[in-house]
Amino acid sequence: MASPGAGPSKPRSKPVYLQKVRCPQHPDANLIEDCHAGDMICPKCGLVVADRVIDVGSEWRTFSNEKSVADPSRVGAAENSLLSGSDLTTLIGKPSGQAGFNDDGTLKYSGKRQVSSSDRVLLNAFREIANMADRINLPKTLIDRTNALFKKVNDQKNLRGRSYNAIAAACLYIACRQEGVPRTFKEICAVCSVRKKEIGRCFKLILKALETNVDLIKSGDFMSRFCTNLNLPPSVKKAATHIAKKAVDMDLVSGRSPISVAAAAIYMASQASEQKRSQKEIGDIAGVADVTIRQSYRLIFPRAFELFPSDFKFHTKVEDLPPP
């Protein structure tokens, strides 16, 4: 509260961020914004009231299928720390007038970026990795891990003479196993143009060169994905996981691949439930042959009573399951 002897209180000045930019001679004039120069100009006296004004408008992108000469984007690609110089390069757009051409009709300014050969290899590999990951619905974090793994392999130059596509596919396979979302060699081969044998060779060479290791594949690593693709309920997935784990603990499937064990467990659980799936349907999803599933199923069928979980609700009794 003001004291009685104090003079009249002065009006508070507005904060700077609330003050409106206006011309001192014509405060009521609507200023004109020069977007190219970033100036605010008074239309009555021509005074530049403000300069270097930041454009807060939305950013635009140019897509590859657009054939327009005008490029509305104002920034380049995102910075990539895996490239030398962090990819801070300049790209000159296509000229739209006569000023951009020489007298003989050639371009006055080259639009090509000066990219080193090592960066060109990395860019092509990163593009291939992104395409492969997109086809099998892998997240961005896994793509970044694969890119870092490929750069580490490329910098060591231990795999000279090998196809870069094969190295990229092997790095993607390793990254999937390290992130706990393993994919089979057949799944990786389906999204690239490299043979399974070549990917396997690069996989072993990369592990040896980087002196690293990956966890062993378990049948449970594939169970959730296979059951989801087969549209099986959670009860069948739980039973199949229990069957596969119990079969491994009882040493019934020694020498069989985890994928074939998972496929056989899914087949047994589905046949005991209402949602039955054939060996061919499971084989198409798991990427294994019907004969492979049948061989693993033959090993676990005699002990079927001991493999099912105690709380499983049978729609088909164990003694009525199809024989191998």
Side-chain angles (χ1 to χ4, degrees), residues 83-145:
L83 301 176
S84 59
S86 297
D87 198 28
L88 296 179
T89 55
T90 302
L91 179 62
I92 301 174
K94 296 181 180 179
S96 56
Q98 296 181 355
F101 296 92
N102 295 319
D103 295 337
D104 56 354
T106 58
L107 291 176
K108 185 177 292 186
Y109 305 104
S110 175
K112 295 181 179 179
R113 292 186 294 181
Q114 298 299 325
V115 183
S116 62
S117 58
S118 59
D119 281 357
R120 191 177 296 110
V121 170
L122 292 177
L123 287 171
N124 293 334
F126 294 165
R127 192 179 301 111
E128 180 67 20
I129 290 170
N131 291 336
M132 289 189 294
D134 182 62
R135 293 172 189 167
I136 50 180
N137 300 319
L138 294 177
K140 180 69 167 58
T141 54
L142 202 144
I143 296 176
D144 294 338
R145 189 183 187 96

Side-chain angles (χ1 to χ4, degrees), residues 59 115 133 187 197 293 317:
E59 185 54 64
V115 183
E187 288 178 298
K197 194 173 183 180
I293 300 177
K317 296 181 180 180

Side-chain angles (χ1 to χ4, degrees), residues 300-323:
I300 64 177
F301 178 77
R303 309 287 291 273
F305 281 100
E306 307 173 45
L307 298 178
F308 279 92
S310 58
D311 58 345
F312 182 74
K313 295 181 179 180
F314 289 91
H315 188 269
T316 301
K317 296 181 180 180
V318 175
E319 54 268 18
D320 296 332
L321 290 176

Side-chain angles (χ1 to χ4, degrees), residues 11-322:
R12 292 183 179 179
S13 60
K14 293 183 179 180
V16 176
Y17 59 85
L18 293 179
Q19 292 179 357
K20 184 179 179 181
V21 178
R22 63 184 67 189
C23 177
Q25 303 298 329
H26 307 90
D28 297 332
N30 294 324
L31 301 181
I32 299 174
E33 181 180 1
D34 186 354
C35 299
H36 294 283
D39 298 337
M40 302 289 289
I41 306 171
C42 177
K44 295 185 177 181
C45 62
L47 176 66
V48 178
V49 181
D51 59 350
R52 297 184 180 180
V53 178
I54 299 175
D55 186 2
V56 295
S58 61
E59 185 54 64
W60 298 90
R61 294 183 297 168
T62 300
F63 297 94
S64 58
N65 57 350
E66 294 181 356
K67 298 181 180 180
S68 176
V69 178
D71 186 3
S73 62
R74 300 174 298 193
V75 297
E79 183 178 346
N80 193 342
S81 59
L82 297 179
L83 301 176
S84 59
S86 297
D87 198 28
L88 296 179
T89 55
T90 302
L91 179 62
I92 301 174
K94 296 181 180 179
S96 56
Q98 296 181 355
F101 296 92
N102 295 319
D103 295 337
D104 56 354
T106 58
L107 291 176
K108 185 177 292 186
Y109 305 104
S110 175
K112 295 181 179 179
R113 292 186 294 181
Q114 298 299 325
V115 183
S116 62
S117 58
S118 59
D119 281 357
R120 191 177 296 110
V121 170
L122 292 177
L123 287 171
N124 293 334
F126 294 165
R127 192 179 301 111
E128 180 67 20
I129 290 170
N131 291 336
M132 289 189 294
D134 182 62
R135 293 172 189 167
I136 50 180
N137 300 319
L138 294 177
K140 180 69 167 58
T141 54
L142 202 144
I143 296 176
D144 294 338
R145 189 183 187 96
T146 307
N147 291 344
L149 192 62
F150 183 91
K151 173 160 175 69
K152 191 181 297 185
V153 173
N154 186 67
D155 290 344
Q156 291 189 3
K157 303 184 184 303
N158 290 325
L159 273 72
R160 285 185 175 179
R162 298 286 177 181
S163 168
Y164 288 114
N165 289 340
I167 299 174
C171 289
L172 182 62
Y173 177 79
I174 294 173
C176 288
R177 298 218 4 208
Q178 290 177 342
E179 289 290 327
V181 285
R183 294 296 186 269
T184 64
F185 277 118
K186 288 187 177 180
E187 288 178 298
I188 301 296
C189 288
V191 295
C192 67
S193 57
V194 186
R195 294 180 302 169
K196 176 183 174 182
K197 194 173 183 180
E198 185 63 22
I199 298 177
R201 288 173 180 170
C202 291
F203 165 69
K204 294 179 181 179
L205 291 173
I206 291 172
L207 293 182
K208 183 178 180 181
L210 300 182
E211 297 181 354
T212 185
N213 203 349
V214 291
D215 296 333
L216 294 175
I217 295 178
K218 301 177 182 178
S219 56
D221 297 334
F222 304 95
M223 201 68 70
S224 177
R225 184 156 50 90
F226 289 170
C227 291
T228 301
N229 293 335
L230 289 166
N231 296 322
L232 292 173
S235 58
V236 177
K237 170 192 166 185
K238 180 182 176 182
T241 304
H242 188 275
I243 291 171
K245 186 177 183 303
K246 202 77 180 292
V248 173
D249 295 341
M250 296 172 63
D251 199 20
L252 301 177
V253 287
S254 58
R256 309 302 301 179
S257 69
I259 301 173
S260 64
V261 175
I266 293 173
Y267 176 70
M268 176 176 283
S270 67
Q271 291 298 319
S273 68
E274 189 176 2
Q275 303 287 335
K276 293 178 171 49
R277 298 293 184 270
S278 65
Q279 293 180 359
K280 186 179 186 309
E281 290 176 305
I282 299 174
D284 292 340
I285 296 296
V288 294
D290 302 356
V291 178
T292 306
I293 300 177
R294 197 176 302 117
Q295 290 173 350
S296 298
Y297 180 69
R298 184 181 295 115
L299 296 175
I300 64 177
F301 178 77
R303 309 287 291 273
F305 281 100
E306 307 173 45
L307 298 178
F308 279 92
S310 58
D311 58 345
F312 182 74
K313 295 181 179 180
F314 289 91
H315 188 269
T316 301
K317 296 181 180 180
V318 175
E319 54 268 18
D320 296 332
L321 290 176

